Amino acid sequence: MTHEHSEFYGNDSKAAPAFATAVLAGLSKQQKTLPCEFFYDARGSELFEAITALPEYYPTRTETAILTQYAPEIAAGTPPGAILVEFGSGSSVKTEILLRALKGLSAYVPVDVSSSALALARDRLIRHFPDLRVHGVEGDFRAGLTLPVELSGKPRLGFFPGSTIGNFTPIKAARLLQVFARNLGHGARLIIGVDLLKDEGRLVSAYDDAAGVTAAFNLNLLERANRELGADFDIAGFGHKAIFNRSLGRIEMHLVSRTRQSVTVLGRSFAFGPGETIHTENSHKYTVAGFYNLTRGAGWIPTRVWTDADDLFSVHELVLKA
Ligand SMILES: C[S@@+](CC[C@H](N)C(=O)[O-])C[C@H]1O[C@@H](n2cnc3c(N)ncnc32)[C@H](O)[C@@H]1O
């Protein structure tokens, strides 16, 4: 393996036109929305890391424990020279568990929209794994993946932890798994973390913690619009709300307008009534059987699943026919 710094450098500025388009379109809808991939600017990524350490937020520590316990099993059978492709890599902290267990990788390819998260992860990984080639890709994991020619023919192991799949409706999640199948190729494996359905109280408090960190994370979307688009959101005029939508099996996060108010973004004015919400995130929860059905419908074969003793979280292995 060669020692090489990631080919990735930069800041979050590339996202600005896409963010502007998304904010204007989202605030024009009947049910106002802001898409969740824009949570992760530098401040949002920092707040997300703080969320992962909260007592109420069981997903990160549970998934980390599952990965730690089963890393040798998960790594077994990975062909020598393979590349590890992580979709929505964020801090790449969980990745280190797999990287320690995987021997003879050609490269690690983190894919994320957040350039600041990629840069921080790259700096740390280069220190912890000096022989590992890290080829960061700043971009949307819903798009095709182009790799340098010397990496393009290598077998690929996909990694999609963090239950990021839950941010998509089941139909869009199935489409995303089809995109991953195309990007990983025949015979590939995908290791994917999926949060499990459980009692409502536990779910809601994970997304509405006592210290208000998730509220700050949600409100950062409005602060980001003020910073990057010159919008004039009065941050104190909005509150955070997390609800469990039982019929759709998902936690929804909203920003709630406390009063009648109007906000200007890029010269356009948007009116809010008292109690009106901006829907910012969905986090779908699955049973193991329900997730198997979703993956099969997307052309993957679910082969193994690892869970914790309390059935809070699941890590699945999916394979594509060679
Ligand atoms: C919930 S965090 C998970 C981070 C990390 N994988 C973990 O498990 O701790 C989701 C990550 O996905 C990234 N992300 C969200 N939507 C994305 C998209 N459409 N394309 C690329 N990255 C995306 C975010 O920037 C963020 O770093």
Side-chain angles (χ1 to χ4, degrees), residues 289-302:
F291 193 68
Y292 282 174
N293 285 339
L294 182 102
T295 60
R296 288 196 187 100
W300 288 87
I301 305 164

Side-chain angles (χ1 to χ4, degrees), residues 209-274:
D209 60 280
V213 185
T214 314
F217 175 72
N218 202 3
L219 287 161
N220 179 57
L221 265 178
L222 305 185
E223 290 175 24
R224 181 174 181 183
N226 288 354
R227 278 194 299 273
E228 292 184 19
L229 309 177
D232 63 356
F233 281 102
D234 167 20
I235 306 302
F238 288 85
H240 164 75
K241 185 166 87 170
I243 55 161
F244 183 59
N245 183 329
R246 188 174 297 279
S247 59
L248 296 176
R250 70 190 191 194
I251 287 281
E252 295 180 1
M253 294 210 310
H254 294 257
L255 290 162
V256 190
S257 175
R258 297 190 198 281
T259 55
R260 183 171 302 285
Q261 56 183 318
S262 117
V263 175
T264 305
V265 187
L266 296 168
R268 283 179 56 189
S269 178
F270 299 94
F272 289 84

Side-chain angles (χ1 to χ4, degrees), residues 36-37 40 45 48-49 52 57 60 63 86-94 111-114 117 139-142 160-164 167-168 281:
C36 64
E37 68 261 29
Y40 299 93
S45 299
F48 181 73
E49 285 314 300
T52 63
Y57 197 76
T60 304
E63 185 179 34
E86 181 170 354
F87 304 105
S89 48
S91 65
S92 297
V93 167
K94 290 170 199 154
V111 181
D112 206 289
V113 283
S114 172
D140 194 323
F141 55 51
R142 291 168 293 192
F160 194 38
S163 206
T164 306
N167 294 149
F168 296 82
E281 189 180 61

Side-chain angles (χ1 to χ4, degrees), residues 85-271:
V85 181
E86 181 170 354
F87 304 105
S89 48
S91 65
S92 297
V93 167
K94 290 170 199 154
T95 324
E96 295 206 14
I97 304 166
L98 285 192
L99 288 175
R100 278 190 287 274
L102 287 162
K103 304 293 173 217
L105 281 184
S106 291
Y108 167 54
V109 177
V111 181
D112 206 289
V113 283
S114 172
S115 52
S116 48
L118 279 170
L120 280 173
R122 173 205 65 207
D123 291 348
R124 198 191 66 251
L125 288 173
I126 283 169
R127 275 188 278 111
H128 292 184
F129 301 89
D131 291 331
L132 180 69
R133 176 173 179 180
V134 179
H135 177 86
V137 175
E138 182 190 347
D140 194 323
F141 55 51
R142 291 168 293 192
L145 179 67
T146 309
L147 292 181
V149 67
E150 69 279 13
L151 294 180
S152 59
K154 310 272 187 197
R156 297 177 185 188
L157 171 64
F159 188 38
F160 194 38
S163 206
T164 306
I165 190 84
N167 294 149
F168 296 82
T169 60
I171 287 176
K172 288 187 175 164
R175 260 189 238 139
L176 185 64
L177 290 177
Q178 288 167 341
V179 172
F180 289 174
R182 280 196 293 279
N183 284 337
L184 293 172
H186 298 297
R189 281 197 306 147
L190 176 63
I191 304 298
I192 179 166
V194 183
D195 197 10
L196 295 174
L197 263 176
K198 59 185 65 64
D199 78 271
E200 179 167 342
R202 183 131 203 200
L203 281 172
V204 171
S205 62
Y207 293 83
D208 194 6
D209 60 280
V213 185
T214 314
F217 175 72
N218 202 3
L219 287 161
N220 179 57
L221 265 178
L222 305 185
E223 290 175 24
R224 181 174 181 183
N226 288 354
R227 278 194 299 273
E228 292 184 19
L229 309 177
D232 63 356
F233 281 102
D234 167 20
I235 306 302
F238 288 85
H240 164 75
K241 185 166 87 170
I243 55 161
F244 183 59
N245 183 329
R246 188 174 297 279
S247 59
L248 296 176
R250 70 190 191 194
I251 287 281
E252 295 180 1
M253 294 210 310
H254 294 257
L255 290 162
V256 190
S257 175
R258 297 190 198 281
T259 55
R260 183 171 302 285
Q261 56 183 318
S262 117
V263 175
T264 305
V265 187
L266 296 168
R268 283 179 56 189
S269 178
F270 299 94

